[in-house]
Short mmCIF file of all heavy atoms in Angstrom, two decimals:
data_model
loop_
_atom_site.label_atom_id
_atom_site.label_comp_id
_atom_site.label_asym_id
_atom_site.label_seq_id
_atom_site.Cartn_x
_atom_site.Cartn_y
_atom_site.Cartn_z
N LEU A 1221 5.33 -48.61 -50.01
CA LEU A 1221 6.13 -48.81 -48.80
C LEU A 1221 6.63 -50.26 -48.71
O LEU A 1221 7.77 -50.50 -48.30
CB LEU A 1221 5.32 -48.45 -47.56
CG LEU A 1221 4.94 -46.97 -47.42
CD1 LEU A 1221 4.03 -46.77 -46.22
CD2 LEU A 1221 6.18 -46.09 -47.28
N ARG A 1222 5.80 -51.20 -49.07
CA ARG A 1222 6.22 -52.60 -49.04
C ARG A 1222 7.35 -52.86 -50.04
O ARG A 1222 8.27 -53.63 -49.76
CB ARG A 1222 5.03 -53.51 -49.32
CG ARG A 1222 4.09 -53.64 -48.12
CD ARG A 1222 2.89 -54.51 -48.42
NE ARG A 1222 2.05 -54.68 -47.23
CZ ARG A 1222 0.82 -55.13 -47.25
NH1 ARG A 1222 0.25 -55.48 -48.40
NH2 ARG A 1222 0.13 -55.25 -46.11
N GLU A 1223 7.25 -52.21 -51.19
CA GLU A 1223 8.32 -52.36 -52.17
C GLU A 1223 9.63 -51.82 -51.63
O GLU A 1223 10.70 -52.38 -51.86
CB GLU A 1223 7.94 -51.63 -53.46
CG GLU A 1223 8.74 -52.02 -54.68
CD GLU A 1223 10.12 -51.35 -54.78
OE1 GLU A 1223 10.29 -50.28 -54.16
OE2 GLU A 1223 11.00 -51.88 -55.49
N LYS A 1224 9.54 -50.75 -50.84
CA LYS A 1224 10.74 -50.17 -50.23
C LYS A 1224 11.36 -51.14 -49.24
O LYS A 1224 12.59 -51.32 -49.20
CB LYS A 1224 10.38 -48.86 -49.54
CG LYS A 1224 11.58 -48.07 -49.02
CD LYS A 1224 11.14 -46.81 -48.30
CE LYS A 1224 10.54 -45.81 -49.24
NZ LYS A 1224 10.25 -44.50 -48.57
N LEU A 1225 10.51 -51.78 -48.43
CA LEU A 1225 11.02 -52.77 -47.47
C LEU A 1225 11.59 -53.99 -48.20
O LEU A 1225 12.59 -54.57 -47.77
CB LEU A 1225 9.90 -53.21 -46.52
CG LEU A 1225 9.39 -52.15 -45.55
CD1 LEU A 1225 8.29 -52.73 -44.68
CD2 LEU A 1225 10.52 -51.60 -44.67
N ASP A 1226 10.93 -54.38 -49.29
CA ASP A 1226 11.45 -55.48 -50.11
C ASP A 1226 12.87 -55.16 -50.59
O ASP A 1226 13.78 -55.99 -50.48
CB ASP A 1226 10.57 -55.70 -51.35
CG ASP A 1226 9.27 -56.38 -51.03
OD1 ASP A 1226 9.07 -56.78 -49.87
OD2 ASP A 1226 8.43 -56.52 -51.94
N ARG A 1227 13.03 -53.97 -51.12
CA ARG A 1227 14.33 -53.60 -51.66
C ARG A 1227 15.39 -53.54 -50.56
O ARG A 1227 16.53 -53.95 -50.78
CB ARG A 1227 14.26 -52.26 -52.39
CG ARG A 1227 15.57 -51.92 -53.07
CD ARG A 1227 15.49 -50.70 -53.94
NE ARG A 1227 16.77 -50.46 -54.60
CZ ARG A 1227 17.04 -49.39 -55.34
NH1 ARG A 1227 16.11 -48.47 -55.55
NH2 ARG A 1227 18.24 -49.25 -55.89
N LYS A 1228 15.00 -53.02 -49.41
CA LYS A 1228 15.92 -52.95 -48.28
C LYS A 1228 16.45 -54.33 -47.94
O LYS A 1228 17.66 -54.55 -47.83
CB LYS A 1228 15.20 -52.35 -47.07
CG LYS A 1228 16.00 -52.35 -45.76
CD LYS A 1228 17.01 -51.25 -45.71
CE LYS A 1228 17.64 -51.14 -44.35
NZ LYS A 1228 18.62 -50.04 -44.25
N ALA A 1229 15.54 -55.32 -47.77
CA ALA A 1229 15.93 -56.68 -47.41
C ALA A 1229 16.75 -57.33 -48.52
O ALA A 1229 17.76 -58.00 -48.26
CB ALA A 1229 14.70 -57.51 -47.10
N TYR A 1230 16.33 -57.11 -49.75
CA TYR A 1230 17.04 -57.69 -50.89
C TYR A 1230 18.45 -57.12 -51.00
O TYR A 1230 19.42 -57.87 -51.20
CB TYR A 1230 16.26 -57.44 -52.18
CG TYR A 1230 17.05 -57.73 -53.43
CD1 TYR A 1230 17.33 -59.03 -53.81
CD2 TYR A 1230 17.54 -56.69 -54.22
CE1 TYR A 1230 18.07 -59.30 -54.96
CE2 TYR A 1230 18.27 -56.94 -55.36
CZ TYR A 1230 18.54 -58.24 -55.72
OH TYR A 1230 19.28 -58.50 -56.85
N GLU A 1231 18.59 -55.82 -50.88
CA GLU A 1231 19.90 -55.19 -51.04
C GLU A 1231 20.87 -55.61 -49.94
O GLU A 1231 22.08 -55.71 -50.18
CB GLU A 1231 19.76 -53.67 -51.06
CG GLU A 1231 19.05 -53.12 -52.30
CD GLU A 1231 19.85 -53.27 -53.58
OE1 GLU A 1231 21.06 -53.59 -53.50
OE2 GLU A 1231 19.27 -53.07 -54.66
N ILE A 1232 20.36 -55.86 -48.73
CA ILE A 1232 21.24 -56.33 -47.66
C ILE A 1232 21.82 -57.69 -48.01
O ILE A 1232 23.03 -57.93 -47.90
CB ILE A 1232 20.46 -56.40 -46.33
CG1 ILE A 1232 20.16 -54.99 -45.82
CG2 ILE A 1232 21.27 -57.17 -45.27
CD1 ILE A 1232 19.26 -54.96 -44.60
N ALA A 1233 20.94 -58.61 -48.47
CA ALA A 1233 21.42 -59.94 -48.85
C ALA A 1233 22.37 -59.86 -50.03
O ALA A 1233 23.41 -60.54 -50.08
CB ALA A 1233 20.22 -60.84 -49.20
N LYS A 1234 22.06 -59.00 -50.99
CA LYS A 1234 22.91 -58.87 -52.18
C LYS A 1234 24.27 -58.29 -51.82
O LYS A 1234 25.30 -58.67 -52.41
CB LYS A 1234 22.21 -57.98 -53.21
CG LYS A 1234 22.91 -57.94 -54.56
CD LYS A 1234 22.13 -57.10 -55.55
CE LYS A 1234 22.83 -57.02 -56.89
NZ LYS A 1234 22.08 -56.15 -57.85
N GLN A 1235 24.29 -57.39 -50.84
CA GLN A 1235 25.56 -56.81 -50.40
C GLN A 1235 26.46 -57.90 -49.81
O GLN A 1235 27.66 -57.94 -50.10
CB GLN A 1235 25.30 -55.72 -49.37
CG GLN A 1235 26.55 -54.97 -48.93
CD GLN A 1235 26.23 -53.86 -47.95
OE1 GLN A 1235 25.53 -54.08 -46.95
NE2 GLN A 1235 26.72 -52.67 -48.22
N TYR A 1236 25.89 -58.80 -49.02
CA TYR A 1236 26.66 -59.92 -48.48
C TYR A 1236 27.18 -60.80 -49.62
O TYR A 1236 28.32 -61.27 -49.60
CB TYR A 1236 25.80 -60.76 -47.54
CG TYR A 1236 25.58 -60.15 -46.18
CD1 TYR A 1236 24.29 -60.05 -45.64
CD2 TYR A 1236 26.65 -59.69 -45.41
CE1 TYR A 1236 24.09 -59.50 -44.38
CE2 TYR A 1236 26.45 -59.13 -44.16
CZ TYR A 1236 25.17 -59.04 -43.65
OH TYR A 1236 24.97 -58.50 -42.40
N HIS A 1237 26.34 -61.02 -50.61
CA HIS A 1237 26.74 -61.85 -51.75
C HIS A 1237 27.94 -61.24 -52.47
O HIS A 1237 28.91 -61.93 -52.80
CB HIS A 1237 25.56 -61.98 -52.73
CG HIS A 1237 25.93 -62.57 -54.06
ND1 HIS A 1237 26.42 -61.81 -55.10
CD2 HIS A 1237 25.91 -63.85 -54.51
CE1 HIS A 1237 26.67 -62.59 -56.13
NE2 HIS A 1237 26.36 -63.83 -55.80
N HIS A 1238 27.90 -59.95 -52.73
CA HIS A 1238 28.97 -59.29 -53.46
C HIS A 1238 30.27 -59.22 -52.64
O HIS A 1238 31.36 -59.19 -53.22
CB HIS A 1238 28.54 -57.89 -53.88
CG HIS A 1238 27.54 -57.89 -55.00
ND1 HIS A 1238 27.27 -59.00 -55.76
CD2 HIS A 1238 26.74 -56.90 -55.50
CE1 HIS A 1238 26.36 -58.71 -56.67
NE2 HIS A 1238 26.02 -57.43 -56.53
#
Side-chain angles (χ1 to χ4, degrees):
L1221 294 175
R1222 284 179 176 164
E1223 197 280 337
K1224 187 182 292 187
L1225 293 180
D1226 285 355
R1227 185 173 182 186
K1228 174 79 172 181
Y1230 167 73
E1231 292 291 348
I1232 289 173
K1234 189 177 178 182
Q1235 185 178 50
Y1236 284 130
H1237 169 275
H1238 287 347

